[in-house]
Structures are given as structure tokens and as C-alpha cells.
Amino acid sequence: MGNTQSRRLLSGNEAVAHAALAAHIDLGIGYPGTPSTEILENFSDLGGNARWSPNEKVALEVAVGVAYAKGRAMATMKHVGLNVAADPLFTAAYTGVQGALVVIVADDPGMASSQNEQDSRRYAIAAGIPMLEPSDSQEAFDLLFDAVKLSERWQIPVLYRLSTRICHSKTVVELGGSLERKNEIHFDRDIRSRVMVPAYARPAHKRLRQKLKEIQAWAETSDLVRISKNGQDLGVISSGISAAHAKEAAPHASQLHLKITFPLPLEKMRDFCHSVDRCMVVEEGDPVVEEGCLIAGIPVEKKSEVYRFGELDVGRVKSMLSGEPSKEKSGPPGKPPQLCPGCPHRTAFSILHDQECIVTGDIGCYTLGVMQPFEAIDTCVCMGASIGVGLGLRHVLPDEQARKVVSVIGDSTFVHSGLTGLVEMVYNRPKTGHLVMILDNSTTAMTGLQEHPATGRTLDHQATHKLNLEDVTRAIGIDKVAVLDPHKDKKLFEETVISFLQSEELCVIIARRPCLLAAKKIKVYEAQVQCPNDETKGN
Amino acid sequence: MDQVYNIVFAGLGGQGVIKASDILAEAAFLSGFDVKKAEVHGMSQRGGSVTSDVRLGQIVMSPMVPPQGADILVVLEPSQTETASPRLKPEGLVLNCSVIDAKSLPNAKTLNVAMLGLLSNYLPILDAEWHQAIRNSLPENLHDMNFRAFSIGKNTHL
């Protein structure tokens, strides 16, 4: 795109994709989640082997398998996706890997498009997994090589933390270099390393702690710590996007830029702190590095609690460094997003509104059913929670209210983590029954129209087995399953909702109509599937 | 530090706010500037407020225009002026789409590029780089239409 071959203007996500290709990543796998989604899409466009999984846990497990076979694997997800993948993450730290495993996690401080602003650096500490953090697209490219090398050298998974402003900001990148494969892909049996029964897991935990000790010692002298000595009045320790803000906010301060945030190179940080009159850690989210310093007896100044909330920018960093009470003020609110005009979800929400239902919601475009004029979502917690939360309400509410509870969940979210909710529904049946509405718009719309197992197409839109939602729902043992187009016959849709709610049975309505934004593209993909060898036809 | 130009685009989802900022960033990059660009995707695609920051200069640090740091605010939807104007420096310039004669545009969707034409009068970027950036950022069948829109914007006076 108008860039020279090697010098380009790239988003952080694009830069990671280029690096993954140059680092010979054998498989990139994940689940879409803003702001991480475009990494795998770009990796695929560049010719990399990229896949969407049903959810982040499965994606990480597949990536672990690749790395057990001495391959190079990259798993991508947003911060809350790492909660889903946390189970394999913690134990993969014990087993270690024989190839490379880089787990890319994109945080969303300020919650541009997320339900919380949790700080993934806590996971690095909790699981005992090294964490690297780029501060712009150039580093997003360069540092991925370091992550792969670190993973292969210490046979340990590596967390690669991005944030919204790293993922989506475009900065100039000089592309270059590659990382040739070291290992031949092969499975070598090593039961004691990989089978985490207690007898083998106890020594594995000790091995992990030994690796972390070695990595910490290595980090002290590695080029993952950059010190720019400047004035002596103020020293700033920072990482990620905060480093970019800090260099602009305090051009005369001395700067220690961390590209590794776990384990921390504490001795280098201690020397730096003692070389200046006052020292502060500039960081977005929780005061993780600040706490690390204070626990180690490094006398950094404590930040105000207000910086735990939201994103930083140059202005906020200036206030933070001044040590004066910050003058936090928010501007006038912008226009909130809405369900698109003509969106098929609109019909469902207007009916739920009219029926005065108690609606447990989920994560996706349809969460916007909370906005006016519908105001037809009463809860939203995490992926898949609509069903469990709805069942909990059904179990304890007085019958009259319980009969009004409806769970709504999107098609991609249902495959991600709604299936086990349905199993719970048939296993612990509420006495008033329950109604789950799968809002099937045939795509993962909110994150930008990604494929999923029930679209029947892989990440690059090629045909694969299509998970049939009505079949799986019936097979689980739901009493009544209806598949309806809410747009085509609103009356029938409304009557079905009412009769299902009155039936006191376990019911699922699949409200199926493709997202308006996706419909055209879906037609093109389907046409390609029907005549895959177009070039052999005609003439 | 040498001058950094801070430009903020504001509009609604679907108006081409991000595309306009992409074209500016590309034109600045082609002109040899260091350039950084920041915006938030996601929820804002659904018709909500969208802003995008572009910074260009010899060296740019943060990708985000600092609070009250915008030299120029480019507004693609008049209702967004109030929301976005706190981003502007006290002496900053607002370029509002209401100055463009919408009827003269080859297509309503080219308003974003017309606004780039207007903006081009205030930035040290040559027309050749703007045109190349448009070529690099849009499909070929839209080039001529957008060159015309750019020129209409460039010849519009405040």
C-alpha cells in the first residue's frame, strides 16, 4: 500500500502478523476479540496458517500441542479471552514446551469495547509466565522474535501483552530479519514433563521457578531494558504504550523502558531509581510494576488511585508525574453506538421489551439491545453467561417473575461457551422451564464479521463442516426447538415467544437471519463453495 | 522538538472518519514525516461517535493527540463539533463539513475526501502525495471520483 518493501505504516496487529510470518510461526490460532482480532486475519492474508477456534481455551490447547511437537505456535485473544484460556495456561507453564508458544493477549484499558479493564500482567505473575510488551508497531514486530527465542531457549510459554493503542495505532515500521527454524517437527515422548499428575507436577513446579530465576537474571543485562539517562531530577519507569506517553510528557526525565514486565529486572530498576532524585512508574491499569518495586524495596513514588481507571494519555501522565492531585475531567459524551437500522436483532428486542421479559444478555452486537428504545437487556457478564445467569434467576424467583426470564445469546457466543449452559439447563431443570433465544446472524458481527464453526467456513472463508445449531440443541435434550426468521414473520415470532414462555418447558428459539453487513459477503463465499473451479468453466 | 501537527477527525460510524485519517497518515508517510495514528474500533462502528487522531512531524512519540492538543479538528458531522471541540488547542482551527457544498460532490460518500482537500491547504503535504495516498487507500474505480472531491474541498474557502 504505497509503502516501500520494508518500510511501512502498520498497526500493531499488522506488525505482529508480519513478524509471525518472518518468525516461521507454524500455526496462529485464537478467538476474535477487540482489539486483537486483526492479528490472525492479517497473518492469514500474508499466507500464514491462521485459524479461528470455538473459544480461547481450545485455541490455546491446540497451540500447546503444536509447541509440544517442537513447532512454533501463536495463540491470540483479548484480555477476557485469557480468563477462558487460563486453565491450560497455568499448567502449560509447568509442562513447558519443546517448540515455541507465544500467547498474545490484548488488554483494553478504558474499555473501548469490553466488559472490564482487567490487567493481564497479573496473569504473568500468577501463572509464572514471562511477559513481553511492545510500545509501538516497530517493537510489536521486533519483540515477537525475542518472544519466540525466549520460549525456545527456556522451553516456556511466553505472554505477549498488547493494548488497544498498540493494536490499533499505526506507526512506521522497518520490516526486516527472520528467525529460521531450529527444530524439526517431531514428537519425543517425555511423560514426566508433560503428564501433570501430582508426582510429576511437583518437580515441574520447581523447574518452572528455576527457569523464571534464570530468565530474571538474563533480563537484567538483556536489551529488553533500555535506559536513557537524562536529567537527575526525575526518573520514569514505563512499558508498553505508557512508554510512548512518558517520553513525550517528560522529555527531560531519565527513562527506563521495560520491554519485559515479568519477571522484572529488579536490580537494574533499583540502580536506576537510586540514580535519580525521584522515580515513578508510569503504567496503565493496576500499579503492577510499582507494587513489584515496592515489594523489592525500590523506593518509587506511589501513584494516585485515579490512574488505575481508564487509558493514559500525555496529559494524564504529566499530572501523574507532577504528583499533584489530578484534574480528571471527562468531556461531553459522544453519540453511543446502536443496533444498525434494519438489524434482525431489533425485532427480537422489541418483542422482549413488549413482553416485559427479564432478559439475561451476553457478549456481542446484541448487547446493544440495552440501548433505547429497547432497554431489553437486564444482565451482561461474560461470554456464555446469559444461560447460567438466566437459570439461576429461574431457580429462585417467584414463579410469576421466573416465567418472564429469557436468555439471549449470539451464534458465535453460543458456540464459544453457550453449549455447556444448555447442558446445565437440561441437567438441572428449573420448574418453570426456560427460554433461550439464539440470535443467529450467521457471523461474529461485533468484532468485524469473523467466521465460526456454525458458519461452516474457516478463518479464510473456505468451506468446512458446519455445526448445525438446531441439531446440537435437540441432541442435548431441549424440549422445543424453533428456527425462525424474525424479519420475515414478526407475528409468528412473537406468538412463538409467548407460547414457549407459557409452556414451562425447556425451549430454544433460533432467530436466524444474516447480519446486514455480512449478507453480501456470505453470498460471495457460498457462491465460491458451490463452484470452486470456476476457471475450468466457460468458453 | 520540531513541530508536530496534531489533527483530530470526528464524525459518526460509517462516514469514513477512519478512512480519511488513513489517507492523511499515508500521505504524511509518503512525504517522509514520522507519523502516528490512533483510533478506537469496535463499538463505535455501530453509528456512534468516532474520532481518529493523526500526528505528523520529524519525531512523534505518543500516537494520541494530547488533551487540548489538536491544531486542526476536522468535523464530518456537525453534531459532533461540540463533542470533539474540547480536543482543540485554544488557537486551533475547526474545519467543519458544512462549508462544503454537498450538492457539488460526485457522491455523498466522498465528503471525507473533500474534507481532506480542505485540510490540505493547511498542511505541508504536496498534492502528488495526497493523490498517491488516495490511490493506495481506495479501489481503483473510486479514484477519479475522489480526486474530484479532493479538488472541490481544496478550492473551498472558509
Side-chain angles (χ1 to χ4, degrees), chain A residues 171-191:
Chain A
T171 72
V172 179
V173 181
E174 192 74 54
L175 297 174
S178 68
L179 197 59
E180 290 313 314
R181 170 182 302 295
K182 267 183 15 192
N183 302 316
E184 196 183 326
I185 305 262
H186 187 258
F187 185 76
D188 292 330
R189 174 171 268 183
D190 183 359
I191 290 174

Side-chain angles (χ1 to χ4, degrees), chain A residues 68-332:
Chain A
Y68 281 171
K70 301 188 186 177
R72 287 176 176 165
M74 167 174 86
T76 72
M77 58 202 70
K78 67 184 293 176
H79 59 332
V80 285
L82 193 54
N83 299 335
V84 179
D87 207 355
L89 182 80
F90 277 67
T91 304
Y94 279 26
T95 65
V97 292
Q98 285 60 50
L101 175 56
V102 182
V103 182
I104 300 187
V105 56
D107 284 8
D108 189 14
M111 296 172 277
S113 193
S114 301
Q115 67 268 37
N116 75 26
E117 53 182 339
Q118 66 184 57
D119 191 324
S120 295
R121 293 176 299 171
R122 301 287 195 199
Y123 269 113
I125 299 168
I129 293 182
M131 175 174 267
L132 305 189
E133 287 193 56
S135 71
D136 61 14
S137 301
Q138 181 71 62
E139 283 182 14
F141 179 81
D142 295 335
L143 211 52
L144 194 80
F145 294 89
D146 294 288
V148 172
K149 282 191 266 186
L150 202 158
S151 182
E152 285 184 345
R153 177 167 169 194
W154 274 283
Q155 305 204 328
I156 192 169
V158 173
L159 278 161
Y160 202 69
R161 181 184 184 240
L162 309 174
S163 63
T164 302
R165 298 298 183 171
I166 299 296
C167 293
H168 286 165
S169 295
K170 284 190 175 178
T171 72
V172 179
V173 181
E174 192 74 54
L175 297 174
S178 68
L179 197 59
E180 290 313 314
R181 170 182 302 295
K182 267 183 15 192
N183 302 316
E184 196 183 326
I185 305 262
H186 187 258
F187 185 76
D188 292 330
R189 174 171 268 183
D190 183 359
I191 290 174
R192 284 170 179 270
S193 294
R194 296 200 201 101
V195 183
M196 288 299 100
V197 293
Y200 299 156
R202 288 182 198 115
H205 187 197
K206 291 192 174 146
R207 282 199 298 277
L208 169 63
R209 292 295 149 186
Q210 180 58 34
K211 285 179 190 177
L212 290 171
K213 229 185 203 171
E214 289 172 23
I215 294 167
Q216 181 166 26
W218 167 81
E220 294 282 358
T221 55
S222 79
D223 58 7
L224 300 185
V225 193
R226 284 281 167 81
I227 293 179
S228 341
K229 283 301 278 182
N230 219 330
Q232 203 195 301
D233 301 353
L234 177 65
V236 176
I237 297 173
S238 61
S239 62
I241 191 68
S242 307
H245 300 324
K247 283 171 193 165
E248 179 164 340
H252 305 299
S254 289
Q255 305 268 353
L256 186 150
H257 176 180
L258 292 168
K259 298 180 194 178
I260 181 165
T261 43
F262 184 78
L264 287 170
L266 289 168
E267 293 319 307
K268 204 152 202 178
M269 292 160 71
R270 190 187 310 278
D271 291 346
F272 176 77
C273 186
H274 285 135
S275 74
V276 291
D277 297 341
R278 47 186 290 257
C279 186
M280 282 191 91
V281 180
V282 172
E283 58 193 325
E284 229 166 34
D286 292 344
V288 176
V289 174
E290 179 184 287
E291 287 170 6
C293 288
L294 294 173
I295 291 166
I298 300 169
V300 294
E301 260 176 48
K302 283 187 83 166
K303 294 184 280 291
S304 156
E305 184 71 5
V306 297
Y307 300 109
R308 199 189 281 271
F309 306 99
E311 295 192 286
L312 295 181
D313 57 33
V314 172
R316 291 188 87 199
V317 172
K318 280 183 182 166
S319 317
M320 183 196 285
L321 292 173
S322 75
E324 283 166 25
S326 120
K327 304 175 282 286
E328 301 277 316
K329 55 168 192 235
S330 50

